[in-house]
Amino acid sequence: MPDLRSLPSVERLLQTQPASEMIAAYGRPLTLQAIRSVLDEVRARVSNGGEPTVRLSAHGEALPDREGLLESARLMLEEWTRPTLIPVVNASGVILHTNLGRAPLSAAALRAMQAVGHGYSNLEFDLGTGKRGSRLIHAEALLKWLTGAEAALVVNNNAAAVLLALSALASRRRVIIARSQLVEIGGGFRVPDVMKQSGAKLVEVGTTNRVHLSDYEEALSEPTALVLRAHRSNFKIIGFTEEPELKEITIVSHRAGVPVIDDLGSGSLLATERFGLGHEPTVQESLAAGVDLVCFSGDKLLGGPQAGIILGRADLVAKIKRHPLARAVRADKLCLAALTATLLHYLKDEAEREIPIWRMIAATPEQNKARAEGWAKELGQGEIVAGESTVGGGSLPGENLPTFLLSLAVKSPDKFLEKLRQQQPPIIARTENDRVLLDPRAVLPEQEGALLVGLKNVLGRKT
Ligand SMILES: *Cc1c(COP(=O)(O)O)cnc(C)c1O
């Protein structure tokens, strides 16, 4: 067994040049911890009769030399401090991919976050009076302007918006919802569970596939706090189905003196038909149908940061703002900065040009074809095939956008996908019929270089 007493001490190692560099880069406590860990590992291994995993000395000695120990410590520090939340290249063709962070932000939204995050801001400070102000005014004015709503409130996300609205307006009281809308959105958001959590009493009407206006009317004959409509964000019911128009629901509800709240999920401000897509309900439409409150996400078809937006009747919004949960789910300054900048794009009629997800949705198949062809040319391989992209993010279920894909024939597609995920930045693609498919639609133009480097790496390694 090698003599462990010949290992250098922690103090000795700390006095070396490589250690000074590590201290400068990672701080003294962490460097100390790494060096200790390396020495402990060598001791443990050697006492157990194993080989040290750290680099052995060049002279064939049984123990690692000083350089080997320091290099191991450096690798350890690199590993410990490597960020786990990192950018990826989204070549999956799903624009609002919830697992990939949904909407990328516009340049203006990023600048706004930078400006507000870098220092102090008037988040809750009224510059006119010099007194305390409200963080809510920043987005509220724009939301009101864009939608014509009387009032608006921004919270952490849409799940929080729905929970808050129900808690504030319907705790221990009846809330009517069509059975066909008791949906699960994914990531643990289930409408019946959220209703239960809020303390509301769930009153289901209709059947799985059909609900009639008379079902609502019958349920409304008993004292009721709210009628909830939830958008079936991620699936369609087809066949023998029926659902009254939103406008009809609001008329019978209002006749009974009961407000209607519409959980739109995605809540587009633009008409999706313009892009050859099916119809996604817009916020403006819901309000025009007489809905009292609308809830939707900031990072779905709005194309902004994670947020939940509640807008509609001023008295109801005021009541929601006063509920204790409103404080617990409030939006932070970075979110409000990015959201305000995103909303401004709509006000200035430049959403399609400035908001990344709308640019991606608006990209024509020919534009995507040209990009995929460019990739194939650069790689010297791959075929261009017609395919489909999806919007995702709980919007437009079953709706696809025609696109062109780079299709690669590789020996083991799953292995290839795995290697693409190991690139820096990781590349997310998909497979179909034993081919690897890469969709240009959601690949940011500035990521193309990195995408090609990653692809070349993996192709060069032979799969
Ligand atoms: C996505 C969605 C939610 C949840 O919104 P988050 O912003 O992800 O919290 C709630 N309701 C519907 C109908 C949705 O589509």
Side-chain angles (χ1 to χ4, degrees):
M1 188 166 110
D3 185 4
L4 284 170
R5 282 172 308 184
S6 63
L7 272 180
S9 68
V10 175
E11 290 68 33
R12 174 72 53 81
L13 288 171
L14 270 178
Q15 280 157 14
T16 61
Q17 180 59 25
S20 308
E21 284 161 18
M22 285 187 255
I23 289 169
Y26 300 100
R28 191 177 172 88
L30 203 59
T31 304
L32 191 60
Q33 201 179 336
I35 290 175
R36 283 206 178 116
S37 297
V38 169
L39 290 173
D40 286 350
E41 192 182 310
V42 173
R43 285 193 197 101
R45 290 246 166 195
V46 172
S47 339
N48 293 336
E51 284 274 297
T53 47
V54 289
R55 207 180 76 193
L56 292 174
S57 76
H59 318 296
E61 284 148 27
L63 284 176
D65 61 12
R66 219 166 63 173
E67 285 66 42
L69 292 166
L70 288 163
E71 177 59 12
S72 296
R74 203 186 53 75
L75 290 174
M76 214 173 245
L77 286 165
E78 227 175 70
E79 170 91 22
W80 287 350
T81 56
R82 191 174 301 138
T84 59
L85 180 59
I86 53 172
V88 304
V89 178
N90 178 8
S92 71
V94 183
I95 298 173
L96 291 168
H97 199 308
T98 296
N99 304 144
L100 304 184
R102 290 199 188 148
L105 296 174
S106 75
L110 291 169
R111 280 197 302 274
M113 287 173 87
Q114 169 94 30
V116 162
H118 177 74
Y120 299 96
S121 62
N122 62 337
L123 180 66
E124 289 186 353
F125 186 80
D126 185 325
L127 293 171
T129 63
K131 297 208 168 71
R132 186 188 171 147
S134 163
R135 72 174 58 219
L136 293 171
I137 58 156
H138 305 289
E140 184 171 16
L142 280 169
L143 284 166
K144 281 159 59 178
W145 197 350
L146 285 166
T147 63
E150 286 175 13
L153 168 65
V154 181
V155 295
N156 183 62
N157 59 11
N158 190 36
V162 176
L163 176 64
L164 172 62
L166 291 174
S167 305
L169 304 176
S171 182
R172 288 194 293 279
R173 294 166 67 208
R174 284 162 38 102
V175 174
I176 297 171
I177 182 166
R179 184 163 281 134
S180 56
Q181 294 167 13
L182 286 171
V183 297
E184 173 174 330
I185 306 301
F189 184 90
R190 289 177 153 193
V191 172
D193 294 346
V194 173
M195 291 181 73
K196 199 182 215 174
Q197 187 61 44
S198 73
K201 287 185 199 145
L202 169 67
V203 179
E204 293 174 47
V205 295
T207 59
T208 309
N209 54 328
R210 285 166 76 86
V211 55
H212 306 285
L213 201 56
S214 56
D215 295 324
Y216 282 97
E217 285 176 305
E218 213 166 287
L220 282 162
S221 65
E222 282 183 54
T224 301
L226 284 175
V227 169
L228 172 62
R229 202 221 13 192
H231 182 40
R232 275 190 294 275
S233 294
N234 46 12
F235 72 106
K236 268 184 178 165
I237 299 186
I238 52 166
F240 187 53
T241 66
E242 178 165 325
E243 206 163 271
E245 294 280 325
L246 189 56
K247 189 162 185 172
E248 299 174 301
I249 298 172
T250 59
I251 289 171
V252 298
S253 303
H254 290 168
R255 203 179 289 147
V258 176
V260 177
I261 172 165
D262 191 10
D263 174 15
L264 273 179
S266 201
S268 182
L269 290 180
L270 297 185
T272 41
E273 297 89 323
R274 249 170 58 193
F275 307 94
L277 285 166
H279 182 68
E280 174 75 15
T282 66
V283 177
Q284 298 91 325
E285 262 165 27
S286 286
L287 292 171
V291 160
D292 302 272
L293 286 176
V294 183
C295 301
F296 57 101
S297 292
D299 54 356
K300 291 184 179 173
L301 279 175
L302 194 73
Q306 177 187 304
I309 296 161
I310 305 173
L311 45 81
R313 251 170 65 187
D315 59 328
L316 298 179
V317 171
K319 198 164 174 198
I320 292 171
K321 280 181 187 169
R322 288 195 301 269
H323 191 273
L325 203 53
R327 170 64 179 79
V329 297
R330 74 180 183 192
D332 81 300
K333 61 186 178 183
L334 299 179
C335 161
L336 291 169
L339 181 65
T340 321
T342 305
L343 292 169
L344 261 179
H345 293 312
Y346 289 94
L347 194 64
K348 290 157 73 181
D349 196 29
E350 60 183 23
E352 240 177 86
R353 200 172 70 234
E354 296 295 333
I355 298 179
I357 63 141
W358 287 116
R359 275 206 302 264
M360 292 169 183
I361 290 171
T364 62
E366 290 66 38
Q367 286 168 334
N368 288 338
K369 189 177 188 183
R371 292 177 75 189
E373 280 170 352
W375 299 352
K377 193 165 165 222
E378 181 74 23
L379 297 171
Q381 61 179 296
E383 274 179 81
I384 309 306
V385 298
E388 287 179 329
S389 321
T390 49
V391 177
S395 56
L396 299 156
E399 283 290 335
N400 297 318
L401 290 160
T403 189
F404 283 93
L405 311 156
L406 173 64
S407 164
L408 297 172
V410 298
K411 235 204 234 124
S412 162
D414 287 334
K415 195 96 200 130
F416 195 88
L417 285 193
E418 187 187 335
K419 284 183 181 169
L420 285 177
R421 292 197 303 271
Q422 289 161 358
Q423 298 303 303
Q424 292 189 12
I427 297 161
I428 314 300
R430 65 182 205 255
T431 61
E432 211 174 278
N433 299 331
D434 271 353
R435 297 184 73 101
V436 171
L437 300 177
L438 295 120
D439 188 339
R441 191 175 294 275
V443 175
L444 304 178
E446 60 269 30
Q447 286 181 321
E448 283 200 7
L451 171 78
L452 289 167
V453 169
L455 277 169
K456 281 179 194 166
N457 275 344
V458 178
L459 286 167
R461 270 196 244 141
K462 285 265 183 284
T463 299

